[in-house]
Each structure stands twice: as structure tokens, then as C-alpha cells.
Amino acid sequence: MNDLLFELPLPDYFDLNACLAYMNRSPLECLFRPDNEGVNRLFMPEGKPLLVRLTTAAEQPPRLQVTLLSGAVPGAEATAGLVRYIVEWFDLDRDLAPFYGIAGRDPLLQPLAVSERGLRIIGIPDLFEALCWAILGQQVNLAFAYRLKHRLTAEFGTSLEYEGHTYYHFPAPEVFLEVTQEELCSLQLTRNKARTVLEVAALIAGGGLSREELLALPSPEEAEARLLKLRGIGPWTSQYVRMRCLRDTTAYPTGDVGLQNAVKFLTGMDRKPTPAELLELAVPWKGWEAYATFYLWRALY
């Protein structure tokens, strides 16, 4: 098929290769399939499977090309939704010049700003998916979190076979209204994680929580306070959701083990830094703590 659906203009300081390197960090990722030239992802606009491929145009000016691999050509409304999702997925409407100005003067960030130049925070625009990914990642290593996500998605999500590969779409919260804790525990979720996933699913499906509601609050701190009211959602999870879903560049998960290990490794410390030390370290990064964190993670893999 390979029909070009649309093209998106690309901002300065965007490099798809840098983004693909991050997206290729684990072969266990099940919601998109990156390679050295682009990434394939299954979408479900209006409930219909749509497999697309994202690449960059060879000629100038730089553009992100979105090509249809499988499914019917979407209508105007579905296409507009797909455009919004991709812009937020790759944070394409963000001017990174201020961040690179800060990073260029910072001894910890400067080497990463060179080696990872053009990397954007790879977002998770869907609130339920973002919360589930953060919940699954609580107090486990990254590989096991990926396995849990794959089991959850394969069991309750949508899939499409294309050229020998299975593509998955994360399940909607409504799917979990009839799911029991025991069913989730059979996938190796703990009882606490299973309960939290089901409670979050019911809240979002019932209209009691939405990304739009969180973004409409006066400040990111108030959005975080709203999330912290949910049982099973702590500071790390709420900061992670602020960073990956709400596109808050001030999010700074000081309790994140990966961030702690990256700073320990890069500074040569003989122990992990404390949250207070991380806050002090981030003073020069004010306003860009999330991007600093995202780049520091790249020192680990």
C-alpha cells in the first residue's frame, strides 16, 4: 500500500535518528516497531486499525512523512487526531533552543547535548497508557516492566499482523470494566498494581479523570496533586506522567533510580545522589528539568 498520508514540518533541533536510538533501547517494546530509518505504529482511529510508518524526507526542507502501511485512508477528523498524536508523541512544537543553551553551559549535560542532539522527549499522549506504564514500572526493572506491558496489551488490546510482525494497540480503559484483579494477577501484576490499574481504568472510563482536565488546571503542581489523590499513585508515578504525558518540562522525578544511577555514573560518586542533591544539581536547569532527566537517562543505555 505505502500511500503517503501527510507530511509534518520539522522544527530545529530534531533528529529522527536520535529519537529512534532511544526507541530502540529495548526489543521488548510492543506498542511501536522502530528500525534504523523509521518507526511503525498501529493506531485505532474511530475503532479501525491503521498501521502507519514515520520516516523523514530525504530532500529539504526537513519533513516527517507519515505513510499508510495497512488500513483504509482515514477521514479528515481521524487524520487531524493522528497529526495531534504524532506532534505530541515527538514533542514537535517545542522550541529546544533554550534547553540547548542551558545544556551547553552545564558540565553534566553538555556531552549528552552533543551526542543526543535532536532527541525529543518521546511522549505517551494517552493518559491511561501513561499511567499504566508508570504503574507497571513501579519498583521493578525495565525489562520486567516491558514484559508486563506486553502481557497486558496482548491479553486486552487490539493487534494486527503485517509482514510477519504483530502490532499491538494499548487497550482502552473501558476494556477493564469487566476485568478482575485475579485476571491481572495471572499476568504477574501484583495485587496492588492490579487494583490500581482497575481503579484508574474505571475513573477514566467514567469521566472522573482526563488528560484535558489535568492540563486545564492552573499549574503542573496542581495536576500532580490531583494524581496523588489516587490510591497507588505516588510522587514518582505522578512526576513521570507529568513528564511523558502532560509534556511538563519542569517535571523532575528525583526518586527515579535511573536518574540517580545516571548522575552517580557521570559524576563518579560512590553512592546514589539524594533527592536533595539532585534538586541542587538541577538549579541551573530550571524550566527544563524533564529534558535534562531524559538526556541523563541516555547515559545508561
Side-chain angles (χ1 to χ4, degrees):
M1 187 172 291
N2 294 0
D3 294 326
L4 181 64
L5 289 179
F6 54 83
E7 295 182 325
L8 294 174
L10 289 174
D12 294 335
Y13 306 111
F14 175 85
D15 186 344
L16 182 60
N17 289 329
C19 296
L20 293 174
Y22 169 82
M23 299 170 89
N24 266 306
R25 69 195 187 282
S26 174
L28 299 174
E29 175 59 62
C30 65
L31 294 180
F32 48 81
R33 184 177 179 82
D35 53 45
N36 292 330
E37 297 179 354
V39 57
N40 300 351
R41 182 161 193 163
L42 177 63
F43 293 90
M44 293 293 294
E46 301 168 345
K48 300 173 184 176
L50 187 76
L51 183 64
V52 302
R53 178 167 176 78
L54 278 61
T55 55
T56 49
E59 61 276 355
Q60 295 295 321
R63 302 180 309 282
L64 191 66
Q65 295 185 322
V66 181
T67 303
L68 179 63
L69 298 181
S70 178
V73 175
E77 186 175 344
T79 297
L82 186 58
V83 168
R84 285 194 302 273
Y85 189 100
I86 292 170
V87 168
E88 296 190 352
W89 188 16
F90 288 94
D91 206 23
L92 292 180
D93 55 3
R94 181 89 56 196
D95 178 10
L96 287 192
F99 169 68
Y100 281 116
I102 289 171
R105 299 186 297 270
D106 188 272
L108 205 59
L109 295 180
Q110 193 274 335
L112 291 166
V114 173
S115 64
E116 306 300 325
R117 201 163 191 82
L119 174 65
R120 301 265 161 162
I121 289 181
I122 307 301
I124 307 175
D126 179 81
L127 177 62
F128 181 59
E129 180 192 329
L131 278 165
C132 285
W133 177 230
I135 292 163
L136 297 178
Q138 292 170 350
Q139 298 178 321
V140 298
N141 63 52
L142 194 59
F144 188 60
Y146 273 118
R147 291 190 180 95
L148 291 178
K149 182 171 76 167
H150 183 272
R151 291 168 189 163
L152 195 71
T153 305
E155 183 71 21
F156 300 107
T158 306
S159 65
L160 173 75
E161 297 291 328
Y162 179 79
E163 294 189 346
H165 298 293
T166 303
Y167 291 88
Y168 293 99
H169 187 269
F170 198 75
E174 291 78 9
V175 171
F176 292 91
L177 296 180
E178 304 299 324
V179 175
T180 65
Q181 275 194 32
E182 287 68 28
E183 288 177 278
L184 294 187
C185 290
S186 72
L187 304 179
Q188 287 193 286
L189 274 73
T190 64
R191 294 198 68 83
N192 284 342
K193 288 184 180 182
R195 183 196 66 215
T196 302
V197 166
L198 294 180
E199 290 181 355
V200 167
L203 188 63
I204 294 177
L209 180 70
S210 70
R211 183 171 183 262
E212 291 72 25
E213 171 203 338
L214 294 174
L215 289 172
L217 292 171
S219 70
E221 290 75 20
E222 290 186 56
E224 181 172 2
R226 174 74 178 91
L227 291 171
L228 289 173
K229 291 179 180 178
L230 308 178
R231 185 167 57 166
I233 303 297
W236 177 84
T237 305
S238 58
Q239 287 278 343
Y240 191 85
V241 170
R242 280 175 58 180
M243 178 180 178
R244 298 291 300 277
C245 182
L246 304 183
R247 304 175 69 205
D248 172 21
T249 59
T250 69
Y252 191 44
T254 55
D256 183 77
V257 174
L259 174 61
Q260 295 167 0
N261 284 333
V263 171
K264 176 187 175 184
F265 169 69
L266 292 172
T267 61
M269 295 177 69
D270 59 0
R271 57 172 176 80
K272 293 178 184 177
T274 65
E277 288 171 328
L278 287 174
L279 287 171
E280 183 178 355
L281 186 69
V283 170
W285 311 337
K286 185 173 177 57
W288 292 95
E289 294 89 340
Y291 261 90
T293 299
F294 204 71
Y295 273 59
L296 287 166
W297 283 341
R298 294 297 288 142
L300 298 177
Y301 44 77

